[in-house]
């Protein structure tokens, strides 16, 4: 099928359904809530929604543990509510992207229940191994969420592999029957009218034969033998040729630790099997490997990440752009400043929205939500956080251990969207939401920002609308300036006669504003700024400016 790659002109909004909007008053977000807010999402200038999983699931990992791939969870409103949302989105010219989580299922999935009993054809649907002769685990791999990657199953009398939570057994993608199931799932949603997939940890689906011990990775042992595993391209090609190529859809793949060079093996527009990648480098400028190994924020690292992906994908593949999602703490609390919440939230928006690629905005990001800081571990819901709290830094004080979670936990960004200053931030009419609301909702909420032309929310709208008008963002070429600066990020996008310069200060002090050579500032038009009184030679704390030449 000839592809027009419509996703290149779009901006997506990510809905993490549990915390978006409760439409039926049970304390948890759902699709009725999404339906109510379709016009709101559209009003941001977003043309599509990526749904984190909304399938039936015991919820051991926020829905990334799927018990049935071809249905919608009753607590989210079931299939009826989904079809309404799909239709409502399409009527508004918006696309819908589903999360495809096929590295693993829930242990409550029927396939797993049958596999543990060795009922055919499910016996080899998962990765089962006996104990080693010395009674040890089958290999030394770690899981990301709960200790070692192997769990003993009494029913089957063997261990199964789980790279994530114990309740998320890994599928055996080497089994052709499992790949047939994946194709069935893809067809099911595409036939219903869904427009694409975000493919969860898709670079992990092929494990090295023999599942050898890993002696290379310092943490997350095993990655050496399953990240970009031996058959990953072959399997993705199979999904593409047999299914995806027959629909007008797109795919975006999540790929932890991927470099631009490696990414091109997947997303090169001529030869790749996928369309875009969610890389982690742009959200790792203040940590090492993951949010659980925090480091001081390095602007240079952040700039290098963004620039590398812009330069190295140019003319070869298409970038995806994001600064937040459901797996990382809030960006204002990390790269920005809570003391300059409004200014830094706007600056961070401009920082990435004018680059080449398809931007994603995560729910709540558009109002500059900040990290949640609960006063007790009991309030957390995320499996990774809870395990981490109970198993690491045990010699530290209670306060230090909690602070570590504030800084690193995924729940820091999973609290309900702050819709208003009413009870529970207007998220639910229930007495108690499924997870606590961030206490700053009376200062940071949608209702108040709707009414304020100068709000973060209205800045997002302006920035997205501008982005869409500027040909040089979609078709231009990126160039970074003053790379060595640890206060400023500056880049231009140039296309024939049109050029923009984006200037972002990451400093909480006034900063000198040097202009790059060859830019005639007298001819420039300032088209976006987060301060009412921009100055010529200095920048306010966290100021951003976008200049246009045409
Ligand atoms: C991805 C998801 C994350 C989930 C994990 C396991 O990284 O984004 O939320 O926990 O995969 O499915």
């Amino acid at each position: 099928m000839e592809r027009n790659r419509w996703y290149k002109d779009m901006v997506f909004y990510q809905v993490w359904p549990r915390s978006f909007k409760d439409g039926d008053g049970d304390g948890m977000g759902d699709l009725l809530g999404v339906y109510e807010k379709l016009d709101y999402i559209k009003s941001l200038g977003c043309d599509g929604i990526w749904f984190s999983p909304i399938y039936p699931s015991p919820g051991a990992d926020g829905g990334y543990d799927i018990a049935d791939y071809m249905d919608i969870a009753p607590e989210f409103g079931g299939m009826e509510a989904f079809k309404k949302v799909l239709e409502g989105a399409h009527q508004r010219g918006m696309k819908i992207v589903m999360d495809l989580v096929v590295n693993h299922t829930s242990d409550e999935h029927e396939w797993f229940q049958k596999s543990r009993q060795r009922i055919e054809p499910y016996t080899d649907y998962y990765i089962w191994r006996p104990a080693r002769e010395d009674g040890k685990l089958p290999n030394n791999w770690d899981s990301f969420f709960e200790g070692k990657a192997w769990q003993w199953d009494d029913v089957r009398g063997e261990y199964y592999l789980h790279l994530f939570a114990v309740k998320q057994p890994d599928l055996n993608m080497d089994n052709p029957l499992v790949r047939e199931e994946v194709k069935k799932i893809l067809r099911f949603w595409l036939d219903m009218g869904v427009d694409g997939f975000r493919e969860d940890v898709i670079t992990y689906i092929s494990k090295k034969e023999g599942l050898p011990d890993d002696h290379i990775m310092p943490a997350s042992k095993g990655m050496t033998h399953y990240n970009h595993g031996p058959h990953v391209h072959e399997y993705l090609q199979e999904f593409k040729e047999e299914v995806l190529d027959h629909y007008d859809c797109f795919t975006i793949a999540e790929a932890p630790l991927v470099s631009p060079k490696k990414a091109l093996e997947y997303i090169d527009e001529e030869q790749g099997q996928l369309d875009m990648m969610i890389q982690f480098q742009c959200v790792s400028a203040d940590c090492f490997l993951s949010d659980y190994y925090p480091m001081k924020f390095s602007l240079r690292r952040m700039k290098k990440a963004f620039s590398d992906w812009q330069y190295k994908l140019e003319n070869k593949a298409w970038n995806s752009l994001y600064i937040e999602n459901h797996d990382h703490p809030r960006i204002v609390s990390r790269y920005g400043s809570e003391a300059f919440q409004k200014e830094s939230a706007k600056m961070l928006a401009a920082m990435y929205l004018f680059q080449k690629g398809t931007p994603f905005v995560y729910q709540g990001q558009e109002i500059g939500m900040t990290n949640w800081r609960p006063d007790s571990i009991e309030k957390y819901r995320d499996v990774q956080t809870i395990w981490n709290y109970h198993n690491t830094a045990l010699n530290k004080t209670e306060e230090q251990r909690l602070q570590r979670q504030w800084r690193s936990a995924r729940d820091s960004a999973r609290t309900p969207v702050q819709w208003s200053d009413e009870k529970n931030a207007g998220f639910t009419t229930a007495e108690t939401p499924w997870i606590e609301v961030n206490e700053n909702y009376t200062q940071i909420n949608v209702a108040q920002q709707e009414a304020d032309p100068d709000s973060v929310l209205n800045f997002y709208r302006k920035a997205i609308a501008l982005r869409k008008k500027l040909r040089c963002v979609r078709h231009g070429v990126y160039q970074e300036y003053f790379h060595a600066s640890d206060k400023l990020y500056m880049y231009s996008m140039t296309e024939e006669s049109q050029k923009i310069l984006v200037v972002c200060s990451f400093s909480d002090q006034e900063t000198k504003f040097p202009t790059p050579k060859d830019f005639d500032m007298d001819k420039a038009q300032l088209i976006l700024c987060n301060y009412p009184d921009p100055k010529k030679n200095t920048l306010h704390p966290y100021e951003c400016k976008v200049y246009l030449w045409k």
Side-chain angles (χ1 to χ4, degrees), residues 112-125:
F112 187 79
Q113 291 305 320
K114 293 194 166 152
S115 190
R116 73 200 315 193
Q117 298 174 63
R118 299 178 200 259
I119 297 176
E120 290 303 345
Y122 302 101
T123 312
D124 293 326
Y125 264 43

Side-chain angles (χ1 to χ4, degrees), residues 223-351:
M223 255 189 129
T224 317
H225 300 306
Y226 60 75
N227 196 14
H228 315 296
H231 301 287
V232 64
H233 294 290
E234 182 187 320
Y235 298 160
L236 292 175
Q237 186 65 25
E238 185 178 321
F239 302 153
K240 177 175 184 295
E241 278 174 20
E242 291 186 31
V243 186
L244 300 166
D245 277 350
H246 304 276
Y247 295 85
D248 182 19
C249 66
F250 89 98
T251 50
I252 171 160
E254 187 200 23
L257 299 191
V258 78
S259 65
K261 185 159 174 254
K262 197 78 195 162
L264 285 170
E265 294 174 15
Y266 295 86
I267 59 169
D268 178 285
E269 282 190 5
E270 306 276 303
Q271 283 142 32
Q273 311 97 56
L274 301 162
D275 297 317
M276 282 189 272
M277 276 222 146
I278 303 176
Q279 44 96 0
F280 281 47
Q281 291 171 340
C282 63
V283 291
S284 305
D286 61 352
C287 59
F288 170 70
L289 289 179
S290 87
D291 298 305
Y292 273 101
Y293 301 96
M295 299 186 324
K296 194 168 172 281
F297 170 63
S298 157
L299 178 61
R300 278 190 236 174
R301 251 174 85 143
M302 188 208 82
K303 294 194 288 187
K304 181 166 174 12
F306 279 103
S307 292
D308 261 6
W309 284 82
Q310 290 291 314
Y311 291 138
K312 293 183 181 163
L313 263 50
E314 179 61 31
N315 269 328
K316 297 193 181 102
W318 192 248
N319 270 295
S320 75
L321 304 166
Y322 78 103
I323 48 175
E324 280 197 14
N325 67 30
H326 65 294
D327 286 334
H328 307 281
R330 292 284 181 186
I331 205 71
V332 168
S333 307
R334 302 176 56 187
Y335 293 5
S337 156
E338 292 185 11
F340 291 93
Q341 182 264 346
K342 192 169 161 181
E343 294 77 9
S344 68
K346 292 178 181 176
M347 181 279 288
L348 289 162
M351 185 274 288

Side-chain angles (χ1 to χ4, degrees), residues 62-79:
Y64 281 86
D65 49 320
I66 297 171
D68 183 351
Y69 289 91
M70 301 208 244
D71 204 352
I72 298 291
E75 66 270 26
F76 293 148
M79 200 52 105

Side-chain angles (χ1 to χ4, degrees), residues 16 50 52 61 64-65 99 101 104 145 164 168 198 200-201 254 256 280 325-327 382-383 410 414:
W16 196 74
W50 150 33
S52 277
D61 178 22
Y64 281 86
D65 49 320
D99 221 306
V101 188
H104 44 266
F145 294 165
F164 292 89
Q168 290 172 297
R198 176 263 188 193
D200 191 64
V201 290
E254 187 200 23
F280 281 47
N325 67 30
H326 65 294
D327 286 334
D382 179 30
V383 58
R410 304 192 294 182
R414 290 181 175 185

